[in-house]
Amino acid sequence: MKLLVTGGLGFIGSNFVRHVLKSHPSWRVVNLDIRTYAGNPANLADVAGGLRYRWVRADIRDPHAAAECMRGVDAVVHFAAESHVDRSILDAASFVQTNVVGTHVLLEEARRAAVERFVHVSTDEVYGSVEKGFSREADPLEPNSPYAASKAAADLLVRSYCVTHKLPALITRSSNNFGPYQFPEKALPLLITNFFDDQPFPLYGDGMNVRDWVYVLDHVRALEFLLLKGRTGEVYNIGGMHAAPNKELIERVRKLMGKPASLVQPVPDRPGHDRRYALDCGKLKALGFKHAYPFDEALNLTIAWYRANEAWWRPLKKAGGYRKYYDRQYAARLGRHADPSSAR
Ligand code: NAD
Ligand code: DAU
């Protein structure tokens, strides 16, 4: 099988590329990735020299590049996106451009190239905050952040290409991923890497927002499974079956790392902060998918990975763009009392 992966230099995409190249010795992967701040060639340094992997540095919004990358490809797995909710609150334009316009360009070129499968990687955030019960695939979309809205718009475009143009596409919606190679602006790697340096973690609001956590290696296994066994036109939820309020998860990590409670510092809440996400994953399970990583084991593996890979995350935390973004964020959120450096 020849695959086009978009966003393969990012967190989940790079884990997916590594996984499929290892599991399928005859598969080849083209990785279309423009390398934003979140894209990092180091994430795939171990496969980069091989004949079965090629990175094309281009924008998914570029129809020529997309068409070129789709030549001779059997299937597309589409990860490329702006993915951080906080950034979408500060500036939503790139989210609309990449997540909506970019997805449209890929759908159009996939239709022209007559690919046999298009897997669109989406998120549980499109369902909005679920106070009770669990989101099922047919539930209405009620996105609340500009990020979630841009992903929901992309989901609807995928659906329309499937119905109108018979594009053999399917949509996956996963919960919060964690694991190796996650950019240290997201909650868990920020927490772990700040704790290594005895720096505080800024806890948004009352810390009672509930997220479901899926280990990235289980997520990429589920994507591989659906690429091969999923049905065209369907949506599949991919959860981790491990939901917890942020406070509880943070407390667990704090104890595992032996750090003082004073390192968890409440800050004003994220605007529009969804209270709870919860996925019903019965449809995926009914197809026969089984998780391989118990949560505790995955959390320990993740902490151990960041401990062993300082050379990967330190430069990212030092980089100017990263600081500038957080400085703006904290200045905006905490007003004149803000001391951005106190939160990292
Ligand atoms: P990420 O931010 O780590 O990586 C995104 C990648 O896309 C980067 O390599 C970046 O360079 C690339 N990219 C961005 N804009 C591009 C463009 N215009 N053209 C080409 N490449 C571009 O993201 P992630 O956390 O790995 O998420 C991957 C996908 O999974 C996203 O679609 C996201 O919405 C979805 N998702 C993420 C999570 C999560 O917990 N991280 C959960 C559910 C769904
Ligand atoms: O639910 C799936 C989504 O998970 C994906 O679609 C997104 O791409 C991904 O970024 C993630 O979104 P979240 O907003 O849930 O993830 P984040 O890591 O930013 O935050 C997780 C929780 O922790 C959330 O309730 C906000 C809180 N938080 C986050 C940060 C960065 C804090 O309390 N403090 C922080 O500094």
Side-chain angles (χ1 to χ4, degrees), residues 85 124-125 129 175-176 208-213 242-246 249 270 272-278:
V85 173
D124 60 0
E125 303 208 5
S129 198
S175 57
N176 283 61
M208 292 309 289
N209 305 70
V210 174
R211 295 291 181 270
D212 172 73
W213 295 92
H242 189 92
N246 293 336
L249 178 69
R270 169 189 277 175
H273 195 178
D274 281 334
R275 197 65 175 162
R276 176 175 177 266
Y277 300 134

Side-chain angles (χ1 to χ4, degrees), residues 6-13 32-40 58-61 78-83 98 121-124 147 151 174-177 182-183 186 219:
T6 70
L9 294 184
F11 164 47
I12 307 172
L32 169 55
D33 193 308
I34 199 171
R35 189 184 177 180
T36 64
Y37 78 96
N40 187 349
D59 195 324
I60 57 166
R61 291 172 306 160
H78 173 35
F79 295 92
E82 288 296 335
S83 69
T98 293
V121 181
S122 188
T123 170
D124 60 0
Y147 161 71
K151 292 296 289 186
S174 105
S175 57
N176 283 61
N177 285 229
Q182 187 168 28
F183 195 85
K186 303 279 166 69
H219 183 198

